[in-house]
């Protein structure tokens, strides 16, 4: 059932908050409305963007998990593995505040603004405009502005994952293989530049009512090969009943669905910075990641916490498309993360 493809617009939730359908789609065909999700205090929503030019990686995100909401930005040096800049903020008890859009891949708009931070996410018909501003009084200390290019025919992977409780679900729309450009300025001076020639963007758009405790792997990467963009997206362990739901290849704007993916051995046992070997159970993906750095963090609280290992590295391997075409890739800057959560 997890490999069932949804090909037309379908209401996601019934009136009582239970799932009406689940599966995967090439576009976001799942009609989500926050007011249908129950219980409301457990609704989790986020928009996450990553832009990677092989040298630097910037992550801009916003989440609202009802108990709290937070905008954040981080910049990493992929060659040294150092976090060169990071800024975030937290607002508590946000059940009725900072409500994110209920659609992902059609025009929508979101703006968060305080005296010190402005985050704006503007989805248009052929691009996404992302801006993160840090202020001090009337002066702008930092301005990160990006344009992510995506046309209407660009396929992504949208999934609805069920859990044991009938009202629990995870709706995720991931777009990747998108070209991006932009810059980060400090006090008006450009410090980091991203060009369409070498920069790729990922969008991770999530809405759901989750079990309090969970875990997942998420791997994603893109690269131009002979003038066409190739990429992959894998998420697994989030639900053992649907290990192959969010596993796909991307080539020249189209999604190629493959089987379940897993890492050969748990990286926490051998060491997060040792080589990772990932394979799909249908033999259509086989790759090695040589880690460069582990963007790790750990927060342990009684009610909310996360243990994160977001490992960036250089990937090489092969993949087989739906028509049997074999793609070989190397020297790809990509990541795989492992997260254990209580939130």
């Amino acid at each position: 059932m997890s490999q069932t493809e949804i090909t037309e617009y379908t209401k996601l939730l019934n009136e009582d908050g239970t799932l009406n359908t689940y599966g995967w789609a090439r576009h976001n065909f799942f009609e989500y409305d926050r007011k249908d999700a129950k219980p409301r205090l457990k609704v989790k929503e986020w928009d996450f963007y990553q832009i990677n030019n092989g040298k630097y990686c910037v992550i801009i995100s916003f989440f609202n998990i009802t108990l709290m909401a937070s905008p954040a930005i981080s910049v990493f040096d992929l060659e040294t593995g150092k976090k060169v800049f990071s800024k975030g903020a937290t607002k508590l008890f946000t059940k009725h505040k900072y409500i994110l859009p209920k659609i992902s891949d059609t025009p929508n708009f979101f703006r968060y603004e305080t005296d010190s931070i402005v985050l704006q996410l503007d989805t248009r018909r052929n691009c996404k405009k992302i801006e993160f501003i840090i202020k001090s009084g009337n002066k702008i200390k930092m301005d990160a502005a990006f344009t992510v290019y995506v046309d209407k025919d660009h396929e992504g992977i949208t999934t609805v994952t069920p859990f044991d409780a009938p009202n629990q679900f995870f709706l995720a729309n991931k777009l990747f293989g998108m070209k991006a450009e932009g810059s980060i300025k400090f006090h008006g001076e450009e410090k980091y530049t991203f060009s369409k020639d070498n920069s790729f963007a990922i969008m991770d758009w999530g809405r759901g009512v989750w079990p309090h405790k969970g875990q997942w792997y998420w791997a994603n990467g893109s690269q131009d090969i002979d003038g066409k963009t190739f990429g992959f997206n894998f998420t697994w362990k989030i639900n053992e009943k649907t290990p192959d739901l969010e596993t796909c290849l991307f080539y020249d704007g189209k999604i190629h669905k493959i089987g379940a993916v897993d890492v050969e051995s748990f990286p926490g046992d051998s060491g997060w910075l040792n080589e990772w070997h990932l394979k799909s159970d249908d033999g259509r993906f086989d790759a090695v990641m040589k880690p460069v750095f582990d963007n790790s963090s750990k927060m342990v609280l009684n009610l909310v916490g996360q243990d994160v290992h977001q490992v960036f590295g250089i990937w090489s391997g092969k993949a087989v498309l739906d028509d049997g075409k074999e793609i070989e890739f190397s020297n790809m800057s990509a990541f795989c993360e492992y997260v254990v959560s209580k939130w």
Side-chain angles (χ1 to χ4, degrees):
M1 177 65 180
S2 64
Q3 287 283 11
T4 299
E5 181 178 0
I6 306 299
T7 59
E8 58 186 19
Y9 284 97
T10 304
K11 185 175 174 60
L12 178 67
L13 299 172
N14 299 311
E15 291 184 1
D16 61 359
T18 59
L19 266 181
N20 179 51
T21 187
Y22 76 91
W24 72 277
R26 300 172 193 273
H27 300 281
N28 190 357
F29 290 131
F30 301 97
E31 297 178 345
Y32 164 81
D33 195 324
R34 179 187 178 91
K35 72 176 186 298
D36 294 330
K38 299 178 177 62
R40 193 70 57 82
L41 284 174
K42 293 188 177 181
V43 175
K44 301 173 177 66
E45 301 182 337
W46 67 86
D47 286 16
F48 169 103
Y49 290 91
Q50 180 193 108
I51 299 99
N52 182 334
N53 67 4
K55 185 176 182 180
Y56 294 104
C57 176
V58 57
I59 295 174
I60 296 175
S61 64
F62 185 88
F63 73 77
N64 186 343
I65 60 171
T66 305
L67 292 175
M68 66 180 73
S70 175
I73 183 171
S74 296
V75 183
F76 303 92
D77 186 323
L78 295 172
E79 296 177 345
T80 66
K82 293 181 178 180
K83 184 183 291 186
V84 296
F85 180 78
S86 183
K87 179 68 175 180
T90 301
K91 294 287 186 179
L92 297 176
F93 309 115
T94 53
K95 178 181 176 181
H96 301 295
K97 300 177 182 178
Y98 312 120
I99 305 302
L100 286 161
K102 62 183 180 180
I103 54 178
S104 60
D105 55 0
T106 56
N108 63 80
F109 184 84
F110 174 77
R111 183 179 175 89
Y112 169 96
E113 184 170 5
T114 65
D115 291 340
S116 59
I117 291 177
V118 176
L119 169 63
Q120 186 165 292
L121 305 174
D122 184 4
T123 294
R124 304 181 184 184
R125 295 196 179 276
N126 295 307
C127 69
K128 296 175 180 291
K129 298 280 190 178
I130 305 163
E131 188 165 23
F132 197 111
I133 296 172
I134 299 173
K135 302 183 295 181
S136 178
N138 294 323
K139 295 182 179 180
I140 295 177
K141 298 174 61 179
M142 188 220 70
D143 184 359
F146 295 91
T147 300
V148 175
Y149 296 93
V150 52
D151 61 46
K152 63 181 180 61
D153 296 322
H154 187 110
E155 294 182 352
I157 182 78
T158 305
T159 58
V160 175
T161 301
F163 297 100
D164 290 336
N167 68 311
Q168 293 179 343
F169 69 95
F170 173 34
L171 168 62
N173 177 210
K174 289 186 172 68
L175 290 174
F176 57 106
M178 300 178 290
K179 296 297 181 69
E181 63 182 354
S183 65
I184 302 176
K185 298 177 181 178
F186 290 91
H187 303 285
E189 182 179 347
E190 191 168 290
K191 186 69 180 284
Y192 303 102
T193 303
F194 293 76
S195 166
K196 285 176 65 177
D197 295 335
N198 59 10
S199 301
F200 291 97
I202 304 165
M203 180 193 77
D204 175 16
W205 183 97
R207 309 289 188 265
V209 175
W210 287 32
H212 180 61
K213 296 180 180 179
Q215 64 175 329
W216 67 84
Y217 285 92
W218 176 32
N220 190 289
S222 298
Q223 182 183 56
D224 281 340
I225 299 175
D226 297 329
K228 298 184 184 298
T229 300
F230 165 77
F232 57 80
N233 183 85
F234 312 129
T235 302
W236 73 101
K237 291 292 186 185
I238 193 168
N239 183 344
E240 297 291 355
K241 296 179 181 179
T242 58
D244 56 355
L245 186 60
E246 195 182 301
T247 54
C248 67
L249 307 173
F250 176 89
Y251 186 70
D252 195 23
K254 304 299 180 184
I255 289 296
H256 299 252
K257 198 73 176 64
I258 65 171
V261 172
D262 204 350
V263 63
E264 192 173 51
S265 60
F266 179 59
D269 292 337
S270 58
W272 297 101
L273 294 180
N274 287 327
E275 188 173 277
W276 296 36
H277 184 197
L278 296 94
K279 298 173 63 177
S280 64
D281 62 4
D282 57 10
R284 291 180 57 186
F285 185 85
D286 192 323
V288 168
M289 176 178 69
K290 295 183 178 180
V292 175
F293 75 100
D294 176 12
N295 174 32
S296 63
S297 62
K298 189 171 185 177
M299 178 180 68
V300 179
L301 301 174
N302 289 333
L303 295 177
V304 180
Q306 276 196 327
D307 188 359
V308 179
H309 291 273
Q310 186 184 49
V311 180
F312 289 80
I314 303 301
W315 293 59
S316 60
K318 64 178 183 178
V320 180
L321 305 180
D322 288 345
D323 61 3
K325 178 181 176 68
E326 185 172 297
I327 303 293
E328 293 188 3
F329 58 96
S330 61
N331 201 36
M332 176 192 286
S333 176
F335 74 93
C336 186
E337 69 178 24
Y338 176 71
V339 179
V340 177
S341 70
K342 291 192 303 180
W343 64 316

